[in-house]
Amino acid sequence: MQGAQGDLLRLVATGKAESRADLARLSGLAASSVSLRVEELIDAGLLAEEGSGASRGGRRPRRLRLSPTAGVLAVADLGAHHVRLGLLDLSGTPLVVEERSCEIADGPRATLDRIADAFDELVAAHVPAGVPIRGVGTGIPGPVDPATRRVVTPSRMPGWNDFLVADHLASRYDLPILVENDANLMAAGEARWWPDHENLMVVKAGTGIGCGVIVNGRLHRGRGAAGDISHVRVRSDSSVICACGHPDCLEAYASGAALMTALSEAGIKVTRPADIVGLVHDAVPEATSLVRNAGRRIGEVLTVLVNFFNPDVIAVGGSLSAAEPLITSIRAAVWERCLPLATRDLEIAPARAGRDAALLGAGALLLEAALTET
Ligand SMILES: [Zn+2]
């Protein structure tokens, strides 16, 4: 159902709709509902309508377009050692994207101030005077409570537990603010690349393991932990204590961090998950075998979820997903163990949205937040 104002705005911004009649047809809304929402969007300075309505030969529909001064969204995707930053127009199209080094272990205040400083620089360099920022958002590589938007017991984020991220950003921006788990953002961005599919699981395989869930085309947050597969217990002959304190979590065996530890114990030096992908491309047997095992373990956890949730698509992204044996092993595990009915039309595929998936997802969610606060 494309009923929200953000959906109408997006239909215009992406060129799919040029008139109120187009919007009614594409959204399924009544003409009167469309008109009401279009008026609100025009009043908010987001849409503009051209044309007088009358012309030779009958009524010419007035043409809708995104207002040139509608504004921009400032979005970030924070990783362990870097941050990806972007300014998007309100259709979600990136105006500029760049990556800067940034140590999350420096703690929340220093990290968030660095992000805000970077936003200010990007806006000064790329946004004409008079065009407003409509919202600010960031992805966090850890669990976020959607009610308070504080970070809750994250791994590998010293000093961040219980930190009120949104409040800190609000001290700098009097704007709608989005704070969201990074895998959720990635899922929201990825969902736009599967327009014919309503139910997706989007796995982020990087330093950690995350998963975002799309139900009926919308991000499903639950109480904040939805999709968190990293601390599911896996079967193992040995016993490894996870960073969370419990033994044998998926993350302790199959995350990029776990694989890097295993490789360094084998005398192979790696500093980030992308290095593992490089080793797999170079056919280093230890790396290939570790990635294959990681894929199998992730796949075994997913088998339960596929039978239970029965998604249309499992999209696998994150820096480790570029290692081909990862997806092959996930697919093999799911195909071997799941009910035939559950896998009959299931696609297990590399994520399509690319490196900016989380930024695009942040833009889509932030636009909705900005419109509901308008
Ligand atoms: Zn754990």
Side-chain angles (χ1 to χ4, degrees):
M1 185 66 191
Q2 298 200 311
Q5 284 178 322
D7 293 325
L8 299 188
L9 192 67
R10 203 171 295 115
L11 286 169
V12 175
T14 52
K16 289 185 183 130
E18 289 196 335
S19 66
R20 297 181 187 209
D22 290 346
L23 286 175
R25 182 171 46 80
L26 292 167
S27 69
L29 290 171
S32 56
S33 305
V34 167
S35 280
L36 186 67
R37 285 167 207 198
V38 165
E39 294 297 341
E40 286 169 356
L41 289 166
I42 290 172
D43 289 347
L46 300 172
L47 279 186
E49 201 167 38
E50 295 168 338
S52 63
S55 72
R56 280 169 298 174
R59 267 177 73 84
R60 180 162 55 95
R62 288 169 292 174
R63 188 168 163 270
L64 288 169
R65 62 187 172 84
L66 201 61
S67 164
T69 55
V72 297
L73 303 167
V75 291
D77 182 26
L78 185 58
H81 307 293
H82 70 276
V83 60
R84 211 162 163 78
L85 302 140
L87 297 178
L88 314 180
D89 73 16
L90 297 194
S91 72
T93 305
L95 307 173
V96 55
V97 172
E98 65 172 58
E99 197 164 305
R100 299 188 181 195
S101 61
C102 182
E103 291 297 322
I104 206 164
D106 289 347
R109 284 183 183 78
T111 305
L112 294 170
D113 287 343
R114 208 161 296 146
I115 290 175
D117 289 344
F119 281 154
D120 291 350
E121 285 173 35
L122 290 177
V123 168
H126 298 279
V127 179
V131 176
I133 309 177
R134 293 281 182 177
V136 172
T138 187
I140 302 283
V144 176
D145 175 358
T148 59
R149 294 183 291 174
R150 75 173 81 215
V151 179
V152 185
T153 57
S155 305
R156 296 179 293 274
M157 291 176 67
W160 286 75
N161 187 33
D162 261 351
F163 191 79
L164 291 160
V165 176
D167 288 13
H168 188 78
L169 288 172
S171 69
R172 200 142 153 181
Y173 298 100
D174 183 18
L175 290 168
I177 286 171
L178 173 82
V179 179
E180 187 65 74
N181 169 263
D182 59 351
N184 281 358
L185 289 188
M186 188 176 175
E190 182 70 18
R192 308 216 160 270
W193 290 78
W194 301 86
D196 299 328
H197 298 81
E198 295 267 286
N199 299 306
L200 288 82
M201 296 174 59
V202 181
V203 176
K204 180 174 184 183
T207 305
I209 298 175
C211 179
V213 185
I214 303 292
V215 182
N216 294 332
R218 299 256 164 206
L219 178 65
H220 175 73
R221 294 186 176 87
R223 308 289 296 238
D228 194 337
I229 59 172
S230 52
H231 301 287
V232 172
R233 186 168 192 166
V234 297
R235 284 152 57 93
S236 175
D237 297 333
S238 57
S239 188
V240 179
I241 300 297
C242 175
C244 75
H246 291 292
D248 298 332
C249 294
L250 177 63
E251 169 148 333
Y253 289 96
S255 65
L259 301 193
M260 287 193 286
T261 304
L263 283 169
S264 67
E265 281 168 2
I268 302 171
K269 190 172 153 35
V270 283
T271 54
R272 47 199 193 114
D275 297 341
I276 303 173
V277 176
L279 293 172
V280 170
H281 284 164
D282 292 343
V284 174
E286 290 89 342
T288 307
S289 150
L290 280 167
V291 167
R292 198 171 285 138
N293 277 329
R296 187 173 51 78
R297 289 189 181 280
I298 294 170
E300 282 171 2
V301 168
L302 292 177
T303 57
V304 181
L305 303 167
V306 165
N307 280 346
F308 181 81
F309 173 52
N310 202 185
D312 310 317
V313 173
I314 297 175
V316 185
S319 46
L320 264 189
S321 68
E324 203 261 332
L326 188 83
I327 293 183
T328 313
S329 313
I330 290 175
R331 210 180 266 140
V334 171
W335 251 250
E336 184 186 315
R337 288 289 312 188
C338 281
L339 300 169
L341 183 60
T343 54
R344 194 173 52 182
D345 295 317
L346 173 67
E347 277 199 63
I348 302 178
R352 294 175 173 175
R355 297 186 70 191
D356 294 333
L359 297 183
L360 303 178
L365 296 175
L366 194 51
L367 179 61
E368 277 172 30
L371 290 172
T372 52
E373 290 184 30
T374 300

